[in-house]
């Protein structure tokens, strides 16, 4: 099996889906000359690859209308932070279209956007905003952490009849991994056990899943950590998480987004309501501090959970 990067896997998924289905088109920012590696602009520029000005509200609204008319747009938003500019189109229009029309209209569209920190870009270009999105009925939210999942989930997202927000951490873009040559998809709502263990369940997604696996590796021989990557937050694979918690009796959720009212708190709620008796200790969430992301590299690193923070918390919970 060949190895390609996370970014190349997403580009490959887009090309294959556009070749397979003429109703798929891409529109938004960073599609043209800055993304030549994807070949999308060169191959589909005449009819199905549209480079736009910085105008998120405009081109996202256009995509909602196109989806309602039967097309399958993939909207490229340069930074996840810019979703704030088009939240009406995403949350009030795309998310509600099918629900409020009694199913007469659908919004089969993908909103694709890089997120996360680590590239030292400050408070307007470094946020992890998945909590905003999972709070909105009608949206699906996926956050892959490997090249294999990035390609398979993108293909599933494009084929889905509901609006899907595809969030890709920019530090994952150069990550290389095995991706099959043949056709495959990864279903939305199916998690993956990245590492088996018996002492504690560690749930993490996107780039936090990479840190979680490194923390589990450092604790080998001391504490047996099971790492679960849900891959998508809506739909969420509660059964895989529950099966792990029933085995280990402990739950720690790690994410890069703000700890307050984040996805981690929601996962703890789901587990406690489903089977509180499975827990030997109080579940915990390790997220970022509740402040805007600093430009300063040392301060940025101090705001979000690092591998040593994860290992320290696991030792506290297992002790």
């Amino acid at each position: 099996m060949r190895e390609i990067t996370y970014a190349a896997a997403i580009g490959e998924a887009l090309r294959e889906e556009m070749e397979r289905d003429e109703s798929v088109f891409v529109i938004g920012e960073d599609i043209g000359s800055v993304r030549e590696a994807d070949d999308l602009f060169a191959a589909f520029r005449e009819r199905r690859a549209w480079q736009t000005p910085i105008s998120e509200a405009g081109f996202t609204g256009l995509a909602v209308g196109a989806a309602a008319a039967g097309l399958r747009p993939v909207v490229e938003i340069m930074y996840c932070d810019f979703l704030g500019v088009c939240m009406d189109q995403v949350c009030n229009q795309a998310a509600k279209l099918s629900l409020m029309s009694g199913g007469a209209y659908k919004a089969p569209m993908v909103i694709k956007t890089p997120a996360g920190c680590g590239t030292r870009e400050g408070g307007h270009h470094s946020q992890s905003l998945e909590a905003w999105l999972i709070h909105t009925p009608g949206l699906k939210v996926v956050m892959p952490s490997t090249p294999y999942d990035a390609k398979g989930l993108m293909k599933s997202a494009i084929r889905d009849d509901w609006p899907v927000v595809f969030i890709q951490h920019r530090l994952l873009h150069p990550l290389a991994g095995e991706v099959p040559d043949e056709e495959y998809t990864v279903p939305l709502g199916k998690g993956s056990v990245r590492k088996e263990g018996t002492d504690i369940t560690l749930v993490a997604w996107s780039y936090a899943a990479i840190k979680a696996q490194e923390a589990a590796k450092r604790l080998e021989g001391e504490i047996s950590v099971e790492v679960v990557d849900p891959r998508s937050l809506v739909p969420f694979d509660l059964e895989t998480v529950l099966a792990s918690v029933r085995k280990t009796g402990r739950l720690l959720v790690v994410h890069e987004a703000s700890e307050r009212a984040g996805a981690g708190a929601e996962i703890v709620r789901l587990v406690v309501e489903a089977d509180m008796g499975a827990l030997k200790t109080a579940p915990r969430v390790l997220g970022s501090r509740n402040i805007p992301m600093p430009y300063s590299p040392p301060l940025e690193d101090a705001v979000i959970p690092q591998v040593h923070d994860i290992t320290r918390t696991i030792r506290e919970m297992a002790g």
Side-chain angles (χ1 to χ4, degrees), residues 6 10 110-113 142 144 150 153-154 157 164-168:
Y6 183 99
I10 294 173
V110 177
I111 300 162
K112 171 181 175 300
T113 184
V142 302
L153 285 167
M154 174 56 78
V164 179
V165 184
F166 187 99
I167 303 175
Q168 53 197 78

Side-chain angles (χ1 to χ4, degrees), residues 29-38 51 78:
E29 301 149 343
D30 282 359
I31 293 171
S33 57
V34 296
R35 291 281 302 279
E36 286 296 339
D38 290 347
Q51 171 82 9
M78 194 170 7

Side-chain angles (χ1 to χ4, degrees), residues 21-25 47-48 50 62-74 106-110 158 160-161:
D21 182 353
E22 285 200 346
S23 70
V24 180
F25 72 96
R47 292 180 58 238
R48 293 196 285 146
W50 300 95
L62 182 154
V64 175
L71 301 179
R72 292 185 178 272
V74 178
K106 297 177 180 177
M109 59 187 290
V110 177
I158 291 172
D160 202 278
D161 283 340

Side-chain angles (χ1 to χ4, degrees), residues 9-26 40 44 48 72 74 110 150-160 183-186:
I10 294 173
E12 200 169 85
L14 289 169
R15 281 199 308 278
E16 289 179 5
E17 289 305 296
M18 293 179 77
E19 290 165 356
R20 187 187 67 84
D21 182 353
E22 285 200 346
S23 70
V24 180
F25 72 96
V26 295
L40 295 177
F44 300 102
R48 293 196 285 146
R72 292 185 178 272
V74 178
V110 177
K151 180 175 180 181
L153 285 167
M154 174 56 78
K155 291 171 83 72
S156 293
I158 291 172
R159 299 177 191 185
D160 202 278
E183 167 72 12
Y184 74 97
T185 60
V186 174

Side-chain angles (χ1 to χ4, degrees), residues 61-179:
L62 182 154
V64 175
L71 301 179
R72 292 185 178 272
V74 178
V75 176
E76 177 85 32
I77 293 179
M78 194 170 7
Y79 285 87
C80 184
D81 312 71
F82 300 168
L83 279 171
V85 183
C86 55
M87 283 298 269
D88 182 65
Q89 287 78 1
V90 175
C91 295
N92 276 330
Q93 308 306 329
K96 295 175 179 155
L97 188 61
S98 180
L99 299 166
M100 296 186 70
S101 68
Y105 296 97
K106 297 177 180 177
M109 59 187 290
V110 177
I111 300 162
K112 171 181 175 300
T113 184
C117 64
T119 48
R120 319 311 190 189
E121 297 182 73
H124 289 93
H125 301 82
S126 305
Q127 296 178 92
S128 297
L129 300 174
E130 60 265 31
W132 289 10
L133 302 159
I134 66 173
H135 188 70
T136 302
L139 293 181
K140 296 183 179 182
V141 182
V142 302
M143 298 184 71
S145 67
T146 70
Y148 178 91
D149 286 351
K151 180 175 180 181
L153 285 167
M154 174 56 78
K155 291 171 83 72
S156 293
I158 291 172
R159 299 177 191 185
D160 202 278
D161 283 340
W162 289 84
V164 179
V165 184
F166 187 99
I167 303 175
Q168 53 197 78
H169 197 295
R170 57 179 59 83
L171 289 185
L172 290 170
H173 287 179
L175 178 73
E178 291 187 341
V179 175

